[in-house]
């Protein structure tokens, strides 16, 4: 597992599937290329999902803010069209469907990220941070917002480093950690907050307005 985390691109390129003369990610690459010709919006959806957590992704994350999506996915962001787009991924075994959500396996995510050029990776990461920030459930201490945080927490935490330079992204990470504490999970809130503060001290400086209040919250 340690080798996979540090060298996943190399290991994905090495792994041979029994009875298949190619790399582990070759079959997925072929599926994506065929899908790109048939349904380019589905490929855009897959690239966004590749930067989120390998947990169910609520469809409302996409349909709630279509203005943040690129064409042609923006035109496919209404609930009915989005269900069809997810269906295209399911048809190629690139995703699983859940009620009001879909899920992409972590190995598929890694392969998709690895196949994107650096500028494509940055564009997808920026879009994911913007979508999550726009979907912020609101006051983390208000129990009415907790259902929204429950849906998004794994994705916010998985993408937190991507949003270090986004004020809205940083605020959502802070609110998510505060939600965990308000919800009674202080251990998780602290586990999120301590490395977050260390990273922000390095990236933003020790006296940044986001770092100082979080030091107080940790105390």
């Amino acid at each position: 597992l340690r080798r996979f985390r540090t060298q996943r691109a190399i290991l994905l390129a090495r792994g041979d599937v029994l009875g298949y003369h190619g790399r582990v990610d070759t079959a997925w690459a072929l599926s994506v290329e065929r899908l790109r010709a048939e349904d380019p919006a589905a490929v855009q959806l897959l690239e966004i999902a590749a930067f989120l957590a390998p947990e169910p992704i609520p469809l409302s994350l996409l349909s709630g803010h279509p203005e943040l999506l690129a064409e042609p996915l923006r035109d496919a962001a209404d609930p009915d069209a989005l269900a069809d787009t997810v269906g295209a991924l399911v048809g190629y075994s690139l995703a699983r469907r859940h009620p009001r959500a879909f899920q992409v396996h972590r190995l598929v995510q890694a392969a998709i990220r690895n196949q994107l050029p650096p500028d494509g990776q940055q564009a997808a990461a920026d879009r994911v941070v913007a979508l999550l920030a726009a979907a912020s459930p609101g006051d983390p201490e208000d129990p009415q917002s907790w259902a929204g945080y429950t849906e998004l927490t794994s994705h916010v935490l998985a993408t937190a480093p991507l949003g270090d330079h986004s004020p809205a992204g940083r605020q959502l990470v802070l609110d998510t950690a505060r939600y965990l504490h308000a919800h009674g999970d202080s251990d998780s809130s602290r586990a999120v907050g301590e490395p977050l503060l260390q990273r922000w001290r390095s990236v933003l400086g020790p006296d940044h307005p986001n770092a100082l209040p979080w030091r107080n919250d940790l105390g």
Side-chain angles (χ1 to χ4, degrees):
L1 181 60
R2 185 170 60 251
R3 290 184 64 201
F4 174 78
R5 284 174 173 160
T6 57
Q7 303 181 46
R8 62 176 55 181
I10 297 171
L11 293 177
L12 281 169
R14 275 187 191 169
D16 289 326
V17 180
L18 215 72
Y20 181 79
H21 300 292
R23 305 181 308 176
V24 168
D25 57 345
T26 301
W28 293 325
L30 294 173
S31 295
V32 170
E33 286 309 308
R34 184 175 295 179
L35 191 59
R36 196 181 303 277
E38 296 177 2
D39 193 339
V43 176
Q44 289 181 325
L45 181 61
L46 184 63
E47 290 172 354
I48 289 173
F51 286 85
L52 292 164
E55 311 298 335
I57 301 166
L59 294 177
S60 59
L61 183 65
L62 290 306
S63 62
H65 296 279
E67 72 280 1
L68 298 176
L69 303 173
E71 297 291 355
L73 183 55
R74 183 184 302 169
D75 286 340
D78 71 85
D80 290 337
L82 195 56
D84 291 341
T85 304
V86 171
L89 297 179
V90 173
Y92 276 91
S93 298
L94 293 166
R96 294 176 58 195
R97 193 190 295 274
H98 294 264
R100 301 181 299 280
F102 72 104
Q103 186 174 7
V104 178
H105 194 279
R106 67 183 72 242
L107 287 175
V108 178
Q109 289 179 312
I112 297 303
R113 291 196 303 268
N114 188 49
Q115 291 165 11
L116 285 172
D119 58 340
Q121 292 182 11
Q122 188 62 54
D126 290 346
R127 187 162 285 118
V128 163
V129 170
L131 285 167
L132 287 169
S136 172
D139 184 356
E141 297 187 1
D142 182 355
Q144 292 187 354
S145 71
W146 289 357
Y149 279 106
T150 298
E151 282 192 328
L152 294 182
T153 291
S154 62
H155 302 295
V156 172
L157 299 184
T159 60
L162 303 177
D164 281 348
H165 297 285
S166 164
R170 292 196 302 269
Q171 187 61 51
L172 180 57
V173 177
L174 287 173
D175 287 344
T176 300
R178 288 169 178 151
Y179 149 74
L180 290 169
H181 178 70
H183 196 250
D185 194 352
S186 297
D187 289 342
S188 293
S189 179
R190 186 180 182 88
V192 170
E194 287 181 334
L196 182 72
L197 183 58
Q198 290 179 2
R199 194 172 71 245
W200 284 1
R201 280 173 173 167
S202 173
V203 174
L204 306 173
D207 296 327
H208 190 275
N210 282 137
L212 286 174
W214 188 233
R215 289 172 63 186
N216 180 68
D217 287 353
L218 276 176

